Every structure is written in structure tokens, then in C-alpha cells.
Amino acid sequence: MSCWFGHDGGTADDAVPIERTCAVPVSVRLERRIRRDFPEPGSAAAIMRVLDELPGTAGYDVEHFAGERLQAAIVLLAEASIRRFHESVGLALTDWRDLLVAAELDHESWPDRLQAELSH
């Protein structure tokens, strides 16, 4: 299955297919945040590809990654740094619960935090 994404910073007219399994689609608002935080050409697409492949890589049940909470935790913890993104992915592979704690998405009001972080 292919998902369509525009080039980073591009328009719908220059959309190109990027092979992804799309098992866990990235939400529109999270994709917007990824494109803002990682504006270098190709970076946002690579970030989304890693997030899409994470359930299979981590060995967790896909349901753990079915919502945007864990994906967003990785992106928020990365703080617009590719190096920190890879560190956050490493944390997700080790223990997804520790990831939620580190990203401050482990409490009952995590939906409010995501709304605040992803609504810009």
C-alpha cells in the first residue's frame, strides 16, 4: 500500500508516493507538527516512515501504536532534533511506558497536552 505525502515544504502538486505500510497512520495534526519541526528536505517523510514501521520493529502489539499518543510522544520528546528523535525511538523500543513518562503524556490529562502541542 502507498500513502501520498507532498515534498517537505511542497504543495499537493508535487506529491510523490512514499512506500509505507500505513498500519498506523500519522494524524493530520501530528504530520503538520512533524513537517514544522523537521523542515529539511526528506526529513519529515523519513520521520513518518520510522513511526509507521515502529510497531513491527518494537515487537509490540499494533494496538499500542494505534493512536497518535505514542507517535506524538516520540515527536515531542525529540524537540525538533533528528538525534533526539532517534533517542526517543530507542526509548519506545525499550519501554513505551517510559516514553510516555518522559514526554509527559502519562497522566490523565494527556489529551489536553496533545491538543496544546499539536494545535499550533
Side-chain angles (χ1 to χ4, degrees), residues 37-38 47 75 77-87:
D37 285 0
F38 301 96
I47 295 288
V75 173
L77 198 54
E79 298 178 331
S81 162
I82 295 289
R83 180 187 55 79
R84 287 187 51 94
F85 172 78
H86 289 292
E87 290 172 357

Side-chain angles (χ1 to χ4, degrees), residues 1-5 16-22:
M1 173 184 241
S2 293
C3 291
W4 290 88
F5 294 103
V16 295
I18 298 172
E19 288 298 319
R20 295 181 63 224
T21 62
C22 300

Side-chain angles (χ1 to χ4, degrees), residues 64-82:
H64 281 97
F65 294 90
E68 71 181 342
R69 186 179 182 187
L70 288 175
Q71 292 176 338
I74 292 169
V75 173
L76 295 177
L77 198 54
E79 298 178 331
S81 162
I82 295 289

Side-chain angles (χ1 to χ4, degrees), residues 92-107:
L93 294 172
T94 302
D95 190 329
W96 60 270
R97 294 161 294 212
D98 289 343
L99 172 70
L100 293 179
V101 170
E104 299 178 14
L105 293 174
D106 60 321
H107 43 77

